[in-house]
Amino acid sequence: MNTKNILYIGLVCCGLTLSSCSSFLDDQVPQGTLTQDEVKDPKYVDNVILSAYAGLVTIEDMNSSFSLWNYDTRSDDAYVGGADDNDGGEFHVMEKAKGIMTTDWPYSDIWNRFYKYLSRVSLSLDMLSEADQGNTTIQQRTAEMKFLRAYGHFQLKRLFKNIPFVNRLHMTEDDYNNLSNTEYTNDQAWQQIINDLEDAYKVLPVTQADKGRPTKAAAAAFLAKVYLYKAYHQDDTKSHKVTSINEAELKKVIEYTDPSIYSGYGLESDLHNNFRPEEQFENGKEAIWSIQYSKNDGTTYGNLNFAYRLIVPCVQGTLDSGCDFYKPSINLVNAYRTNADGLPLVDANAADYEVGSSQTVDPRLFETVGVPGTPYMFNDNFMMSKTKNWGRGNGDYGYNVSLKHNVDPALLDIYLFNADNQLASSMNRIVFRYADVLLMRAEAYAQLGQTGQAIDLVNQVRDRAIGLVNASIVSRYASKFNVHYAIKRYNGTYSKEEAINIVKTERRLELAMESERFFDLVRWGDAAQVINKFYNEESKKLKFLSGAQFTADKNEYLPIPDKQYSASNGHYTQNIGNW
C-alpha cells in the first residue's frame, strides 16, 4: 500500500449517537466487495484497512482539523483571526473563553468526525479479528489499527477529557447506546490508550515500506506522550487541577524516549525542512510519523491537506481572498526575544519585537512566524507588511502569519493548488517528530530532579537553533532585513524548578504553532494563570480580547456537545464548570 495514494473503498460505520447501527452497511453503495473468506486472507487485508487510513485525510475538515489547530487558538500562541468576530464566530467565543454554549457547532462537529474515523478503525479491527491470528501480516495490521485507535481517542481526550471509548470488538447497537463517558476515571482512561499502544509497540516493525504506517519508534513516541499526560494526575472529579505528578509514569516517558529506539532518526539541520512539501523533505529523519497527503492521484484534487486551507493569508497576486486564520500572537513573537546571554528574555518592560529594532531574537522566530518586514514563505517576491494584504481583519488580529502550515506561492500548481478558490497543499503533517521526543525526555528528567540530563537534552534542540544563524533558510535575514540573532546553550547548574521552566519555554519555542501549546498548559496545570496573563497584556494592544477571562476548572476542556449529551439516554455526564 502507498498511503500517499490512499484508496477510499467506502467502508463507513455509524457515529456514536445514531439511533440504529444494525444495518448501516445496507445503505452503502460498495465500490468493491470481498467475500467473507477473502476478508480473512492476509493478501487482502490491506483492502480492509485502507478506509481507516483514508479517514485521517477524508474525514477531517478545515473547520475541524485533526491537528486541532482550530482549538489551539485558545492558547497564548495564536489568535483565531479571519475577517472579524463573526467570521468563525464560535471559535472567537472559545478564544475569549466567555459565552461558550454546549450547542456551538465546533464541539459536536469535531466529536462526530473523530468517532466516524474511529468507527472505520473499529470495523477494521473486527474484520482482522476473524483472520488467522498467527499470521505476521495480520498481527502487524492489527497493531497499526490499535495505533490509529489510540490516536483518535487521544485527540478526543485532550479536547473533552471525559469521553466514551470504542475499544471492544464486535460492538452491538446496545453496546453503543449504553456507552458512558465516565466509565473510566481520568487515570484509567489514559491507560486505555496506553494499552492499545503497548500492544502495538510489541508488534510493529522498526521500519515500514509505506511511510504512512506507524513503526515501533512511532508507537514509542506516542507512548511517551500519553504517559507524560497521564503523569500529571487530574483525577479529582470536581476539578481539573493537577493533584500530583507520578514518578513511575515519568520513568515510563524516559523508557519510551530511550535513544536506542530511534536509530536512524534525528534533528534536521534546518527546522524548516520539516515543513516543506517537496518529496526530498517529506518523511525526513525527524518525522517519526506523519499524516500522508498526496497530489495527482486520480481524484479531483488529490488527497490534499484541506485542513490548513483557512490558515492561508491574503497573498496578493496568488489568492487575494485567503482566509487568514490561526494568526501568531504578539506574545509568541516576543517569546523569541533573547538577552545578552542568548537566552530567552524575561523583561516585562521590553518593547514588542519589530523587524529592524536592535533587539536580538532566536532565529526560530522567522521559521515559525511571518513577521512584517520579512518575506512570506521565504520568497522575496512576497514581502509582508502591516497592510490589509497581510491582515484580513485590518490589523484587529495583528499582521503576523503562520509559516509552518503554508507553502511558497511560487509552488502553485506543483505542491499548492487552488481547490474551490481556497489553497490546499500536498504537504504532509508531522504528528510526532524527534525534537518533541527529546523535549518529552527532558521534561521527565526535569520533573524527576535530574536537571543535568534535562538541560543536556534541551541543549540538543538549541544546538540546531544555533545552527540556523549561519546555515538555514533564514540565515540571510541578518544582513538583508536588519534582524539581530543571539542564541546560546544553557550553561551552569539549575534547580529543579528552573529546569522545569526551561523545558516548558523550550517546548513553546520549538513546537510553536504545531497545536501543542494549549494542551501543554492544561496538562501542566498552568492554563488559567498563563492565559489570563496573556489576556491582560494583549487586550491592551488588541481590542478583540477585551473582557476575555479563562475560568479555572471549566475552560481547560470543551463541554460535552449538547447533541451527544441529549442522545446518550442519560449515560453521559457533562464536564464540570456549570455548562
Side-chain angles (χ1 to χ4, degrees):
M1 172 180 79
N2 181 352
T3 50
K4 287 287 283 184
N5 297 288
I6 296 171
L7 172 65
Y8 176 65
I9 60 174
L11 291 175
V12 182
C13 189
C14 55
L16 284 180
T17 58
L18 295 184
S19 59
S20 175
C21 298
S22 57
S23 60
F24 67 91
L25 282 177
D26 294 341
D27 300 326
Q28 307 306 316
V29 179
Q31 297 181 26
T33 60
L34 295 172
T35 67
Q36 195 67 24
D37 287 338
E38 286 174 330
V39 164
K40 299 177 184 179
D41 191 326
K43 69 181 180 182
Y44 295 118
V45 66
D46 283 336
N47 294 343
V48 173
I49 69 172
L50 275 171
S51 183
Y53 277 105
L56 291 167
V57 175
T58 60
I59 293 177
E60 69 171 351
D61 176 73
M62 64 185 181
N63 296 298
S64 294
S65 170
F66 282 6
S67 73
L68 305 186
W69 72 260
N70 322 60
Y71 302 86
D72 186 50
T73 53
R74 294 173 288 171
S75 78
D76 53 349
D77 270 8
Y79 317 126
V80 171
D84 52 41
D85 282 358
N86 295 315
D87 191 11
E90 289 83 356
F91 283 101
H92 283 287
V93 168
M94 193 191 317
E95 172 181 39
K96 296 176 68 172
K98 294 190 72 175
I100 295 173
M101 305 291 289
T102 63
T103 52
D104 289 345
W105 68 264
Y107 318 134
S108 191
D109 194 66
I110 192 69
W111 177 290
N112 281 333
R113 289 178 186 278
F114 267 119
Y115 279 111
K116 286 178 182 177
Y117 158 74
L118 283 169
S119 72
R120 294 192 188 187
V121 177
S122 293
L123 183 58
S124 297
L125 283 166
D126 286 348
M127 292 181 175
L128 286 165
S129 72
E130 299 296 320
D132 177 8
Q133 300 303 295
N135 181 273
T136 301
T137 299
I138 297 300
Q139 292 171 357
Q140 288 190 6
R141 298 300 179 258
T142 299
E144 291 173 25
M145 291 301 100
K146 287 188 175 182
F147 180 99
L148 296 190
R149 183 166 70 181
Y151 177 69
H153 284 137
F154 176 73
Q155 295 291 66
L156 282 162
K157 181 150 178 51
R158 292 206 293 180
L159 287 169
F160 296 100
K161 188 177 185 179
N162 296 308
I163 62 168
F165 278 80
V166 186
N167 57 358
R168 293 183 289 276
L169 293 172
H170 305 295
M171 292 179 67
T172 66
E173 180 178 351
D174 283 343
D175 290 332
Y176 281 109
N177 288 337
N178 288 298
L179 282 174
S180 166
N181 70 327
T182 53
E183 177 182 1
Y184 305 106
T185 66
N186 189 57
D187 191 60
Q188 290 170 342
W190 287 124
Q191 189 61 48
Q192 300 309 304
I193 300 173
I194 287 169
N195 291 345
D196 268 348
L197 290 172
E198 288 186 333
D199 286 349
Y201 178 75
K202 294 172 186 174
V203 175
L204 287 172
V206 172
T207 61
Q208 293 267 28
D210 301 312
K211 295 298 183 181
R213 297 188 194 272
T215 61
K216 188 174 289 292
F222 201 169
L223 274 164
K225 178 150 287 190
V226 182
Y227 269 116
L228 197 54
Y229 273 79
K230 188 173 185 285
Y232 292 84
H233 285 196
Q234 295 181 16
D235 271 325
D236 181 353
T237 58
K238 297 180 180 179
S239 169
H240 295 318
K241 293 180 176 63
V242 175
T243 56
S244 63
I245 301 175
N246 186 278
E247 290 193 2
E249 286 153 3
L250 292 172
K251 290 176 181 177
K252 282 290 189 180
V253 176
I254 292 171
E255 175 185 341
Y256 285 112
T257 55
D258 189 282
S260 64
I261 300 171
Y262 300 92
S263 177
Y265 294 99
L267 297 176
E268 293 279 359
S269 59
D270 191 341
L271 172 65
H272 177 53
N273 290 352
N274 292 299
F275 308 98
R276 300 188 67 164
E278 298 96 327
E279 288 82 0
Q280 65 267 34
F281 295 108
E282 292 206 311
N283 300 306
K285 67 178 181 178
E286 195 167 341
I288 297 172
W289 185 62
S290 303
I291 306 300
Q292 308 288 307
Y293 296 96
S294 65
K295 59 173 185 167
N296 302 328
D297 58 8
T299 61
T300 302
Y301 295 120
N303 282 293
L304 297 175
N305 183 346
F306 290 101
Y308 288 164
R309 291 204 293 179
L310 292 177
I311 302 176
V312 180
C314 308
V315 186
Q316 204 168 27
T318 300
L319 187 68
D320 297 338
S321 60
C323 291
D324 198 31
F325 283 88
Y326 201 33
K327 295 186 71 64
S329 69
I330 297 170
N331 186 284
L332 176 62
V333 170
N334 287 338
Y336 288 95
R337 298 173 303 187
T338 56
N339 60 23
D341 295 322
L343 299 177
L345 176 67
V346 181
D347 183 354
N349 297 316
D352 291 339
Y353 178 75
E354 291 193 13
V355 169
S357 75
S358 60
Q359 290 179 312
T360 57
V361 292
D362 181 327
R364 285 176 291 186
L365 166 61
F366 298 111
E367 296 204 356
T368 304
V369 181
V371 183
T374 62
Y376 173 63
M377 294 312 303
F378 321 103
N379 186 332
D380 290 4
N381 292 319
F382 301 96
M383 291 298 297
M384 290 176 287
S385 60
K386 292 185 177 182
T387 65
K388 188 175 182 180
N389 294 335
W390 299 101
R392 183 165 164 245
N394 290 316
D396 288 350
Y397 312 110
Y399 296 95
N400 299 317
V401 172
S402 176
L403 298 182
K404 288 181 176 178
H405 310 84
N406 287 311
V407 171
D408 184 351
L411 299 178
L412 191 67
D413 297 325
I414 303 173
Y415 298 102
L416 186 66
F417 302 90
N418 188 338
D420 291 336
N421 203 35
Q422 286 182 312
L423 295 178
S425 79
S426 59
M427 182 172 65
N428 289 351
R429 173 170 66 83
I430 298 177
V431 179
F432 300 113
R433 65 181 176 95
Y434 189 66
D436 193 4
V437 170
L438 293 175
L439 292 172
M440 289 191 290
R441 188 172 178 83
E443 184 175 336
Y445 273 130
Q447 288 288 5
L448 289 168
Q450 299 179 50
T451 58
Q453 291 95 323
I455 298 302
D456 285 346
L457 289 158
V458 167
N459 280 335
Q460 286 187 46
V461 177
R462 289 185 71 80
D463 283 345
R464 193 254 299 275
I466 291 168
L468 303 182
V469 173
N470 295 312
S472 72
I473 200 163
V474 298
S475 58
R476 66 191 178 94
Y477 282 24
S479 59
K480 187 157 188 178
F481 302 113
N482 193 26
V483 303
H484 305 279
Y485 293 139
I487 179 171
K488 295 181 181 178
R489 303 176 111 237
Y490 284 95
N491 293 304
T493 303
Y494 298 92
S495 68
K496 177 179 176 179
E497 182 179 359
E498 288 171 333
I500 291 170
N501 287 333
I502 286 170
V503 173
K504 288 179 177 180
T505 298
E506 197 65 23
R507 278 192 68 82
R508 186 184 192 192
L509 298 176
E510 177 65 23
L511 302 174
M513 304 301 289
E514 295 179 46
S515 308
E516 291 293 308
R517 177 63 173 173
F518 181 80
F519 304 105
D520 279 346
L521 291 173
V522 170
R523 70 179 174 83
W524 292 329
D526 294 345
Q529 179 183 355
V530 170
I531 294 173
N532 279 327
K533 183 174 183 291
F534 164 72
Y535 287 157
N536 181 57
E537 294 173 353
E538 298 280 286
S539 63
K540 297 173 184 176
K541 307 166 188 176
L542 299 173
K543 294 180 181 179
F544 79 96
L545 283 176
S546 177
Q549 179 67 45
F550 189 99
T551 301
D553 297 327
K554 178 175 182 174
N555 294 127
E556 291 90 345
Y557 297 94
L558 300 177
I560 305 303
D562 179 72
K563 287 183 179 179
Q564 311 301 326
Y565 182 83
S566 299
S568 72
N569 297 316
H571 292 294
Y572 289 180
T573 300
Q574 184 56 269
N575 284 334
I576 62 171
N578 295 318
W579 296 104

